[in-house]
Amino acid sequence: MSVSDPHLLALLRAIRLRQSAPDAAAAGEADTAAALSEIARNQTARKKKEAQVAEQADAGTPPYFSKHRAAEEDTPRGGSAGLLWRGDPSAVMGRANLRNARSAIPPIGGITPSGPTTPVPPIPALEGVRPPEPPGTDFPPQLPPRSFPSRRPRTSGPVRRAAGRDGMDPADDAALRDIQRNLSTSITFAGGVEDVAERLWNALHQAQPALLSSLPGTAPTQRADLARALTWLVHHLADPPAVVSGCARLGAVLAECGLQWNRLQLVGAALAEATRAGMPPGSWRQDFDQAWRWAWQHTYEWIVHGGTLVAYQPTIWDVEVVSHEQRREDLAVIGLRSLLPMPFRPGQFARFEVPEIPGVWRPYSLAGAPHRDEYIELHVRAKSETGVSGTLVHHTRRGARLRMTRAEGDMGLPDSRGILMIAGDTGVAPMKAMLAELAARGDTRQTVLLWSVRDQTELYDIDALTELAARVPGATVIPVVAEEPSGPYMSGPITDAVTTYGDWSRYEIYLAGPPQMLAKTTAALLRLGVKPDQMHYDPPE
C-alpha cells in the first residue's frame, strides 16, 4: 500500500472517521464519493492524454515538451494535489470542514497560506483501486526472534588460571628450568664460575681484544664482572621478565662504553668452549652445548635491544655505598661501587639521586680511577642535614643504594703538555681522579696541584693525595691555607700562589671549586698571559 497516494489516504480517512465518530457518516460518504469520482476522472484524463501524446509523436512534437505539458495539466489549478490529515483522529472534519479550516492548518511541507507556495511535483495516477488485502498484510511480517548465545552461569568456585608464569605455557617454564639446570650442572663440572669466567676472558682476549679494551677496569676486575654476570644469568634464567630487564640495562651500559654489537656474536660459542674445557674427559654432553648457545642467543638479542634504547632514554646506574667516612662535621668521603661497568674520564662529574628524595638529582665530581677498578669516590659537603647533600653526609650508611647518570664534563687529561690543577675545597675530587689516572699510567710529566682551603682542618684528604703524588714521578701537591696558622703549608690567597710558582703558559690548567675562587683565579691567569683555551673547568650550577 502506497502511503503517498492521496486518494487512498482519503479512503482511509473516511473509514477512520466513520469508526471514530458516528455523526461523521455523511462527511465520510461525501469524501468517499469524491475520492472515487476523482479516481475515475483521473483515469479518463490519463487515457486521453496518452492518446494526445501518441498523436503529437506522429506529428513530430518532441516528447519532452509533451510530457511536461501533460504534467502541468495533471496538477489541479486550485493548489496542491492533496492534503494530509494532521489533527486528532477523533475530531469530526470532512472535506468541507477542511476547506473552511485551510487558514488554520497549513499544508504539509511547511507552506503557510500567506507565504509563497512552492509548486508540488505531479503525482502519478493510480491504475485502479486495489481490493483490500487480508488482515495482517498491511505491515511487513515480523522477523524471527534473534537467538543469542546463552551466558555461562556464574559459579561460586574460584576461577582457574593458567599455571604458567607471565602468560607463558607451563611447558615453557619446564623447558627453562631444564636449561637452567644444565647450565648450573655444567659450571659445577667445569670447576666453578670463577674458573669458567677466567677461561672465557682468556678466549675473548685472544679472539676479540677490542671488546675487552672498550670496557672499564683491569683484567682481574673484568674477570670478576664476568663471574658475577654468569652467576646472575643462571639464577634468573627461569624468570624471563628479570632476564629481559637485566639484559636491557646491560645493553645500555655497553652502548655507553662504545661497544660494537658484532663483537658479541662469538660469545655464545666461547661460553660453551670455556665450560667444556674445564670438564673431565667424556663428561661434556650435547644438551650442555645447546643450553649455553640457546641462553646466549636470547641474552644477546635483549642486550642489543637495550643498547638501542640509549638514543631515546637516559642510562641510569645503580651504585652501592661500600664506605662512608665522616671526615668533618659537614663533610664526608663516600666510596661507591657500580653494579655495572661505569665509563668516565678523570675530571668528569655525574648526577646522583638518593632514595629519600626521589626525582632530585645533584652533580658531584667523581674521584677514582675509571680504568683501574669500579670504585668511585664522592667528596660531599653539606650546609644542612636536608637535601641530597645533607642526606649523603648525615643519613647515608654502608650498603645503601644510589642512582647515578652518565658522566658529564669536558675536563680530561691532555696528551703531552704539563698539568696545573687548581682546586678549592671539595673541588679537589676531580683532581684526585686525574692523579690516580697518571699513577696508573706511570706518567712522568710535570704535574702541580694547588689545593686552596680556609684553614688546616679543611685538608681532609691530604694523606691520600700525598700518597698518589708519590706514585707519579713529576707530581707535586701544594696546600694553600688562606687563614693563619698555616703550619708547614703555604699561606695566603690562591692567586698569590698562582703568580709565585712561575710561568704557566705551556701548561694545561684545570680548575674546580667555589665560583668566586674560579673567577679570581682565571682573571689572575689571564694577567699572566695564559690563553683562555688553556683553562678547563665546568661552569658552576
Side-chain angles (χ1 to χ4, degrees), residues 355-404:
E356 293 82 357
I357 313 176
V360 179
W361 299 81
R362 290 292 180 264
Y364 298 101
S365 296
L366 305 176
H371 296 289
R372 185 182 62 185
D373 52 29
E374 297 173 345
Y375 182 79
I376 301 172
E377 194 174 87
L378 302 184
H379 298 189
V380 184
R381 181 189 290 274
K383 297 180 179 180
S384 65
E385 295 190 6
T386 60
V388 178
S389 296
T391 303
L392 289 174
V393 172
H394 300 285
H395 307 293
T396 301
R397 296 294 179 265
R398 182 177 180 180
R401 293 288 182 91
L402 311 178
R403 301 175 72 206
M404 64 179 296

Side-chain angles (χ1 to χ4, degrees), residues 118-136:
T118 303
V120 180
I123 300 175
L126 295 176
E127 297 181 358
V129 180
R130 293 185 300 174
E133 298 183 6

Side-chain angles (χ1 to χ4, degrees), residues 1-4 8 12 130 132-133 137-138:
M1 179 182 300
S2 177
V3 296
S4 62
L8 293 181
L12 290 175
R130 293 185 300 174
E133 298 183 6
T137 60
D138 296 336

Side-chain angles (χ1 to χ4, degrees), residues 438-455:
L438 292 173
R441 294 182 185 179
D443 202 309
T444 60
R445 80 181 82 180
Q446 189 71 23
T447 303
V448 177
L449 170 60
L450 299 176
W451 186 15
S452 174
V453 294
R454 185 178 56 186
D455 53 51

Side-chain angles (χ1 to χ4, degrees), residues 327 432 451 459-470 489:
R327 300 286 180 89
K432 185 178 181 180
W451 186 15
L459 296 173
Y460 63 89
D461 207 34
I462 187 62
D463 293 337
L465 290 172
T466 303
E467 181 184 354
L468 275 176
Y489 308 116

